[in-house]
Amino acid sequence: MSTATADGAATPGRAPSGPPANATKTDKKRILGTRPWLAAVFLLPALVLLGALVVYPIGYSLYRSFFDASGNGFVGLDNYQEMFSDNATKTAIKNNIIWLVLAPTVSTALGLIFAVLTERVRWATAFKLIVFMPMAISMLAAGIIFRLVYEQDPDKGVANAMWVSVHDSFTESPPFPGAHPRPAAGMTDGSNGSFTTRATVRAGTPASLPLVAAKRDDISGAREARAAQPEAGKVTGTVWFDFTKGGLGEQGVLDKGEKAMADLRIEAVRDGKVVARTTSAADGTYTLPAKAEGARLRLPAWNFSEPYNGVDWLGPTLVTPAIIGSYVWIWAGFAMVLIAAGLAGVPRELMEAARMDGANEWQVFRRVTVPLLAPVLSVVVVTLMINVMKIFDLVYIIAPGPSQDDANVLALQLFQSSFGTDVNQGLGSAIAVLLLLLVMPVMFINIRRIRREKRR
């Protein structure tokens, strides 16, 4: 083997240096120019699925939105006009805006707080696991869980059980809700739910107040009632549950075994003014001072009012914030994990430099940590915004029938219009097109962000 020298002579034993000039161009042509069908073969299954599952449904929904409920009559833009004049759709758009503002913001903020705080604790991994665990639960299961959490009855709903416990810690509960005097007990009903004796009371003469209709749970642990003894210069009496098992007792008479009604508020009223107050003892007896003589006894309405039953979480006013709370419970873990991953890549030297310059922890967080995490935070917010625009299952499961119209969102309205009682798939298709148009700007923002990051 030989190679040519500068003067044209061949030098034996040396191979030509470098590939032929057209080698790279030939290889490139072989890959892209002569076998394009190979790339098409690999792309074809994905393109078929994309066309069948995305392009065709979008195109058909747009086409169907111009026809009536039967699908035979062309109505032009009538479905869109009906959509924006329908109160249900207006409520759905309003609720979607509330979702779009609150849910991504609160979820991202909580995820940021959790991610930053867990860096300073030893059990950070366990905490992150607990916070992220709701992501493993389906929306259906989460909806069922929170439907039970928000139950109005404090004995069933966890939220109201906690709320009522806090409320009752600062406010005294009525002793006998629903109870009232016997019709022949000589007492009149007040306009506000109180009961007042018709006759005035006298010192030294016990005044009995027989009551009925007390709930079994309120009376079951009560002591046996005791007849009050007359006291000179004082008004005494007994308040008791006038009922004997088997109906053997005499009405208006304190029979053996009948239960006392303790902690009942009793007022002595003269000329519309309260002159004395007292509370019944554990055995049902009460005592008023001498100034109560000649007054009438009144049992205030508070004694018999219904106990505080908590907050109507799924009522018309709070149903949307309550459902958003369940969404945040699920997705705050997702935000935390992504932000924690971004936080792991933040240079610690910048934080230490800020601390050495005199910045406190809040200033480091606000001026160093958050700006450095801005790309990650934007990813989380945009992802949650796209997810929130399509929310359906939580609203459908958690909101009860009477409040579902107040909690309505576009995806739920689409379902109800297309498959509900009054089926109109033309209107449903118009709502689907509207939902697509609302999601597209967020998607474009996300695509632009991804392209911008690729250029860096």
Side-chain angles (χ1 to χ4, degrees):
M1 182 180 294
S2 63
T3 58
T5 61
D7 55 0
T11 303
R14 294 182 63 185
S17 59
N22 61 345
T24 304
K25 189 178 296 184
T26 303
D27 292 342
K28 186 175 181 180
K29 183 177 180 182
R30 184 181 298 119
I31 295 172
L32 300 178
T34 61
R35 292 192 292 178
W37 57 269
L38 186 61
V41 168
F42 281 103
L43 289 175
L44 186 60
L47 292 175
V48 170
L49 288 175
L50 184 66
L53 300 179
V54 179
V55 178
Y56 172 74
I58 292 175
Y60 183 75
S61 295
L62 180 61
Y63 166 80
R64 185 67 177 82
S65 67
F66 297 115
F67 288 82
D68 59 10
S70 65
N72 298 321
F74 181 80
V75 294
L77 298 177
D78 288 356
N79 286 323
Y80 293 92
Q81 183 178 357
E82 181 182 352
M83 175 178 64
F84 286 108
S85 61
D86 183 29
N87 289 331
T89 307
K90 290 179 181 178
T91 302
I93 294 173
K94 181 195 73 174
N95 287 336
N96 263 99
I97 294 173
I98 295 173
W99 272 89
L100 198 61
V101 172
L102 289 181
T105 304
V106 176
S107 299
T108 305
L110 285 177
L112 177 60
I113 293 171
F114 291 155
V116 172
L117 293 182
T118 50
E119 279 204 327
R120 299 177 175 272
V121 295
R122 296 179 59 183
W123 37 271
T125 303
F127 180 82
K128 290 178 181 177
L129 178 64
I130 293 172
V131 175
F132 187 76
M133 196 175 294
M135 285 294 299
I137 302 175
S138 68
M139 286 288 194
L140 173 64
I144 295 173
I145 290 171
F146 275 89
R147 180 65 182 268
L148 296 174
V149 168
Y150 290 136
E151 273 284 345
Q152 179 70 39
D153 188 352
D155 294 333
K156 299 177 181 178
V158 176
N160 266 344
M162 297 174 60
W163 191 268
V164 170
S165 298
V166 173
H167 177 273
D168 291 348
S169 299
F170 299 96
T171 306
E172 190 177 359
S173 299
F176 299 101
H180 57 82
R182 280 195 176 277
M187 303 187 75
T188 59
D189 298 356
S191 58
N192 59 352
S194 62
F195 299 95
T196 307
T197 58
R198 295 189 184 93
T200 59
V201 293
R202 300 181 61 182
T205 304
S208 299
L209 302 174
L211 303 182
V212 292
K215 296 179 181 178
R216 181 179 299 178
D217 292 340
D218 296 332
I219 207 72
S220 59
R223 290 171 52 179
E224 184 175 344
R226 181 177 66 85
Q229 300 299 317
E231 295 184 30
K234 293 183 179 181
V235 176
T236 59
T238 304
V239 186
W240 81 98
F241 183 50
D242 190 16
F243 174 78
T244 303
K245 290 182 179 180
L248 302 177
E250 185 178 350
Q251 294 184 8
V253 177
L254 179 57
D255 298 305
K256 184 177 181 180
E258 291 183 335
K259 299 289 186 177
M261 302 185 77
D263 300 323
L264 218 67
R265 294 179 184 177
I266 303 168
E267 298 173 344
V269 182
R270 183 187 298 113
D271 298 328
K273 296 181 180 180
V274 178
V275 296
R277 290 185 177 90
T278 189
T279 303
S280 60
D283 58 3
T285 59
Y286 65 89
T287 304
L288 289 165
K291 58 183 178 180
E293 185 171 6
R296 288 180 170 84
L297 299 184
R298 181 172 67 189
L299 301 177
W302 173 85
N303 292 316
F304 316 111
S305 60
E306 290 297 324
Y308 181 68
N309 207 33
V311 178
D312 188 9
W313 298 104
L314 299 181
T317 305
L318 295 177
V319 62
T320 295
I323 300 174
I324 291 176
S326 66
Y327 179 90
V328 170
W329 177 76
I330 298 171
W331 285 90
F334 167 81
M336 179 197 65
V337 169
L338 289 189
I339 296 172
L343 192 60
V346 173
R348 305 298 168 180
E349 298 82 2
L350 297 177
M351 297 182 184
E352 293 301 327
R355 293 187 181 99
M356 292 190 66
D357 288 341
N360 56 37
E361 291 301 323
W362 169 245
Q363 291 172 327
V364 172
F365 173 75
R366 186 165 59 93
R367 297 183 178 272
V368 179
T369 305
V370 173
L372 290 174
L373 287 175
V376 179
L377 295 176
S378 65
V379 171
V380 174
V381 170
V382 171
T383 303
L384 292 179
M385 287 176 69
I386 295 173
N387 183 271
V388 157
M389 290 296 294
K390 303 176 294 181
I391 194 69
F392 164 77
D393 30 21
L394 282 180
V395 180
Y396 185 71
I397 296 167
I398 296 178
S403 301
Q404 200 163 80
D405 290 342
D406 299 285
N408 198 15
V409 290
L410 282 173
L412 179 59
Q413 182 62 28
L414 186 159
F415 172 79
Q416 290 174 338
S417 298
S418 301
F419 309 105
T421 305
D422 299 323
V423 177
N424 186 346
Q425 293 189 352
L427 178 60
S429 298
I431 297 173
V433 173
L434 173 64
L435 190 56
L436 175 65
L437 293 176
L438 293 176
V439 172
M440 284 180 67
V442 184
M443 294 176 61
F444 287 145
I445 293 172
N446 203 25
I447 292 171
R448 288 186 60 186
R449 179 192 56 77
I450 293 172
R451 288 178 176 175
R452 189 165 54 248
E453 289 183 355
K454 283 184 177 180
R455 297 193 201 105
R456 294 177 181 176

